[in-house]
Amino acid sequence: MDSTSCKIMNTIDEEVMTGEAKWQKDAADQNFDYMFKLLIIGNSSVGKTSFLFRYADDSFTSAFVSTVGIDFKVKTVFRHDKRVKLQIWDTAGQERYRTITTAYYRGAMGFILMYDITNEESFNSVQDWVTQIKTYSWDNAQVILVGNKCDMEEERVVSAERGRQLADQLGVEFYETSAKENINVKAVFERLVDIICDKMSESLDSEPAMLAGGARGQRLTEQPQGSNNPNCNC
Ligand code: GTP
Ligand code: MG
């Protein structure tokens, strides 16, 4: 962890938990303003687990331990004066777990749909994953397309341009990331939270007071900003 990350980890008020055993504790902790359920999906080995570990623990391992079923971590972040609890589900990419993992799509507000820029097949599978989202999730679920492993430039087989074009076709935002080199990992989560918040404020348009000042599109912050930001409509 570099010093900048270290500072971030120290200043952000966060908690990280894993596993079903912690579920009850998580549900009981009501110390948040909003809870967003997010899922990371995509083919096996694209880097979903690594991406989550980088975000939640700022750690990375080059060993590949394929996820069995599903796991989750909880991380609390601040968007202005609101405490937003992220419940982030890491799904197994292997086909044999599909029945289990799709059962968790219900109620998800956001999806990180990941492929590996060094693996054509994972890119070709993106459309199938979109179909899974459409089948098992709800219409308002927000999606970000992520091309992971962008540190492996020499082994790249999917250009950034193809990724961007596919994202445009699907009507979603696009990032290239590296869980290994910590490139754009935090940015993806921040953007997904912003998009979900924007969607929420759209659905609150019958309450103009909530929308005064137009906080739409503002970024997730590391610290609560309290009265400095009275306009948050997240
Ligand atoms: P399943 O659990 O089987 O669905 O796979 P997964 O998508 O969770 O993949 P995982 O995170 O386990 O990563 C697979 C392999 O890719 C591991 O060996 C990781 O170390 C490696 N990896 C993940 N992200 C990156 C990255 O950004 N760059 C590089 N070079 N390797 C990565
Ligand atoms: Mg995994």
Side-chain angles (χ1 to χ4, degrees):
M1 194 186 325
D2 64 36
S3 58
T4 313
S5 304
C6 194
K7 185 160 175 274
I8 289 167
M9 295 298 280
N10 287 337
T11 55
I12 194 165
D13 177 1
E14 68 173 32
E15 50 190 305
V16 178
M17 295 185 288
T18 57
E20 291 283 354
K22 305 253 174 71
W23 173 250
Q24 277 191 319
K25 180 176 185 299
D26 177 53
D29 177 8
Q30 297 298 313
N31 192 17
F32 56 86
D33 297 297
Y34 298 105
M35 163 97 81
F36 293 168
K37 177 181 174 183
L38 311 178
L39 259 77
I40 310 176
I41 62 172
N43 280 14
S44 181
S45 91
V46 298
K48 299 179 296 296
T49 302
S50 307
F51 194 79
L52 180 55
F53 271 75
R54 172 61 76 190
Y55 181 59
D57 303 336
D58 201 14
S59 67
F60 178 82
T61 168
S62 48
F64 177 26
V65 182
S66 194
T67 303
V68 174
I70 191 156
D71 197 3
F72 79 93
K73 284 179 180 280
V74 173
K75 176 154 171 151
T76 304
V77 296
F78 286 92
R79 188 179 190 270
H80 307 289
D81 59 345
K82 300 296 182 199
R83 202 175 154 99
V84 182
K85 189 171 226 178
L86 304 180
Q87 186 189 91
I88 310 163
W89 292 87
D90 170 31
T91 62
Q94 289 183 54
E95 178 77 40
R96 70 176 114 154
Y97 300 115
R98 205 55 47 87
T99 314
I100 299 168
T101 55
T102 51
Y104 287 82
Y105 284 36
R106 208 164 143 246
M109 301 173 83
F111 287 84
I112 294 171
L113 200 178
M114 185 174 290
Y115 67 89
D116 172 353
I117 66 149
T118 72
N119 182 325
E120 182 78 32
E121 193 187 336
S122 72
F123 183 70
N124 293 338
S125 299
V126 166
Q127 189 59 59
D128 291 341
W129 289 106
V130 170
T131 304
Q132 300 270 318
I133 294 172
K134 287 193 172 136
T135 308
Y136 296 104
S137 182
W138 65 318
D139 289 346
N140 271 338
Q142 304 301 306
V143 180
I144 290 186
L145 180 65
V146 166
N148 190 40
K149 306 193 187 180
C150 71
D151 58 285
M152 298 177 72
E153 197 53 54
E154 289 184 359
E155 282 138 90
R156 177 192 285 275
V157 294
V158 183
S159 69
E161 189 49 34
R162 286 173 69 202
R164 211 168 290 119
Q165 277 175 6
L166 178 57
D168 285 348
Q169 273 172 31
L170 297 171
V172 302
E173 293 198 19
F174 172 66
Y175 285 81
E176 282 200 345
T177 65
S178 168
K180 183 179 182 186
E181 300 295 333
N182 199 7
I183 299 168
N184 276 341
V185 176
K186 190 156 161 274
V188 167
F189 282 99
E190 287 181 347
R191 187 64 195 132
L192 189 52
V193 168
D194 275 350
I195 296 170
I196 293 168
C197 285
D198 286 353
K199 202 75 191 170
M200 279 171 64
S201 48
E202 273 173 31
S203 62
L204 285 173
D205 61 6
S206 58
E207 295 178 65
M210 289 289 287
L211 296 174
R216 293 179 51 175
Q218 291 179 357
R219 311 292 299 176
L220 193 71
T221 56
E222 301 297 346
Q223 302 241 46
Q225 295 177 12
S227 57
N228 291 335
N229 290 278
N231 294 331
C232 180
N233 59 353
C234 173

